[in-house]
Amino acid sequence: MKLLNVAVIGATGIVGKEFITLIEQRNFPVGELFPFASERSLGEFVEYKKKEISIIPLKKENIADKKIDVAFFSAGSAVSKEMASVFSKKGALVIDNSSAFRMDKAVPLVVPEVNGDIVKNMKTGIIANPNCSTIQMVPFLDIVNKHAGIESVFVSTYQSVSGAGKKGIEELKDQVVTLFSGKSSDPQVFPQRIAFNLIPQIGPFYPDGYCEEEVKMINETRKILGIKDLDIDVTTVRVPTFFSHAETVVINTKKECDTAKIKKQIENHSEMILMDDPEELLYPTLIDSSRRNEVFIGRLRSNDTKRRVSAWVVADNVRKGAAYNALRIAETALGVSYE
Ligand SMILES: NC(=O)c1ccc[n+]([C@@H]2O[C@H](COP(=O)([O-])OP(=O)(O)OC[C@H]3O[C@@H](n4cnc5c(N)ncnc54)[C@H](OP(=O)(O)O)[C@@H]3O)[C@@H](O)[C@H]2O)c1
């Protein structure tokens, strides 16, 4: 396998760091690694294969002399909008973790096990990685859709603070310490206090009453599944946990469904793990999925109409919801295999 020169944009962030850990763990065929971040990180370095590699400030002049095959962007949508095309015009395949291009008709939005075929042999251009909450939900929706057809979907999310990046993690830590010291601190990252609280808002509100994260999940799910008029409703909630997101997913189906068959498909799925035995009190929690690449499914059940499936869906937002899905997109597009 040809070695690939890899750029990570946002290499000092939560997603960027996890990405570097993963390419090392999976033995991705890296020629040179170029870790980019902002000017603030000048003098810092990342560790890759026991070597320290200096952070490169993201500027056009620092890219000009480099041959880059694949660039993973996780530095926010403003940076992606400004710089993704600079990398792709130089011949790199850009996998973008931000929301900048997800709804662009010309840009594929991909969860490889659901619609990876659309990027096979795509060696340059831009591919968008979906929102973390969307990524963990659509493989399950896809299974149920193929089994019994989806009539409608209702989702509630329970999203950890790491979804808001390193600043989100710091805010929860600081608030817990401050509150235990008998003091209080004003929220900076989240709209209200997150410690010992739940916040039913992720991102700004739109005039119709939905917040940004809910709109992302609705639009992205429709695009990935290729069902433009999918009847889907979402409520997104920030919870005071550090890593992994959970979701309750309720699907009304067109035909009667057989939960035993759905469970079998999940058990046989390479990217999913079924943890579902109520008698043994077995179901996935955030802790089970942390630092894991798979989506964990439990509490799978159908009501007496047999035209409804409900489940509890858990995954690591930084892994499955970001770095791991992005890496698998690159593997699919560039034909990377590890045999
Ligand atoms: N966290 C998640 O669960 C998650 C999941 C899916 C998608 N995403 C998306 O991934 C992106 C990064 O998220 P994150 O959680 O990793 O955020 P983060 O922890 O806050 O890290 C942000 C990274 O972007 C870099 N950066 C910021 N401004 C920059 C600039 N002007 N030029 C170059 N680099 C710049 C930062 O560098 P410095 O350290 O130098 O500031 C840092 O490396 C966001 O678009 C986010 O929406 C995140």
Side-chain angles (χ1 to χ4, degrees), residues 72-92:
F72 294 92
F73 271 72
S74 59
S77 56
V79 173
S80 295
K81 279 180 189 156
E82 192 191 333
M83 297 300 287
S85 60
V86 176
F87 281 73
S88 71
K89 277 180 190 150
K90 274 182 62 55

Side-chain angles (χ1 to χ4, degrees), residues 9-16 36-41 58 74-77 79 97-99 102 130-132 162-167 245 317-318 321-322:
I9 294 89
T12 53
I14 298 284
V15 174
F36 291 92
S38 78
E39 299 266 13
R40 292 180 290 272
S41 298
L58 185 66
S74 59
S77 56
V79 173
N97 258 299
S98 81
S99 58
R102 288 180 191 152
N131 174 279
C132 43
S162 57
K166 50 190 177 184
K167 287 191 194 131
H245 294 345
N317 52 301
V318 182

Side-chain angles (χ1 to χ4, degrees), residues 199-272:
I199 305 173
Q201 177 196 352
I202 301 182
F205 281 111
Y206 292 122
D208 60 5
Y210 287 86
C211 64
E212 188 180 48
E213 185 87 347
E214 291 161 353
V215 174
K216 284 181 187 171
M217 285 183 74
I218 291 168
N219 292 340
E220 293 176 23
T221 301
R222 287 176 175 160
K223 180 169 172 176
I224 298 163
L225 292 179
I227 312 174
K228 283 197 183 99
D229 57 353
L230 179 70
D231 182 4
I232 172 168
D233 211 335
V234 181
T235 303
T236 54
V237 182
R238 185 71 73 193
V239 300
T241 51
F242 285 105
F243 290 98
S244 287
H245 294 345
E247 296 171 354
T248 54
V249 180
V250 179
I251 308 168
N252 291 316
T253 56
K254 290 184 176 151
K255 292 190 268 177
E256 282 197 5
C257 42
D258 180 341
T259 50
K261 282 191 182 157
I262 296 171
K263 284 183 184 180
K264 199 85 212 148
Q265 284 197 45
I266 295 168
E267 267 174 342
N268 293 334
H269 198 292
S270 59
E271 304 297 328
M272 288 174 142

Side-chain angles (χ1 to χ4, degrees), residues 134-200:
T134 310
I135 291 176
Q136 72 181 68
M137 177 175 68
V138 287
F140 177 58
L141 294 187
D142 187 45
I143 287 177
V144 175
N145 191 38
K146 285 177 179 147
H147 175 72
I150 295 177
E151 186 73 47
S152 55
V153 184
F154 298 90
V155 189
S156 293
T157 70
Y158 307 75
Q159 298 183 225
S160 290
V161 294
S162 57
K166 50 190 177 184
K167 287 191 194 131
I169 293 177
E170 288 311 313
E171 180 143 311
L172 175 57
K173 272 192 209 163
D174 289 348
Q175 284 182 0
V176 169
V177 171
T178 312
L179 286 165
F180 272 117
S181 320
K183 299 177 198 145
S184 68
S185 62
D186 290 333
Q188 307 290 327
V189 177
F190 301 110
Q192 305 221 17
R193 195 185 91 192
I194 184 63
F196 312 107
N197 202 6
L198 303 177
I199 305 173

Side-chain angles (χ1 to χ4, degrees), residues 300-319:
L300 202 148
R301 59 208 190 272
S302 184
N303 76 356
D304 54 4
T305 69
K306 297 286 169 221
R307 288 165 76 137
R308 178 173 299 157
V309 187
S310 298
W312 172 245
V313 177
V314 185
D316 186 322
N317 52 301
V318 182
R319 284 262 177 131

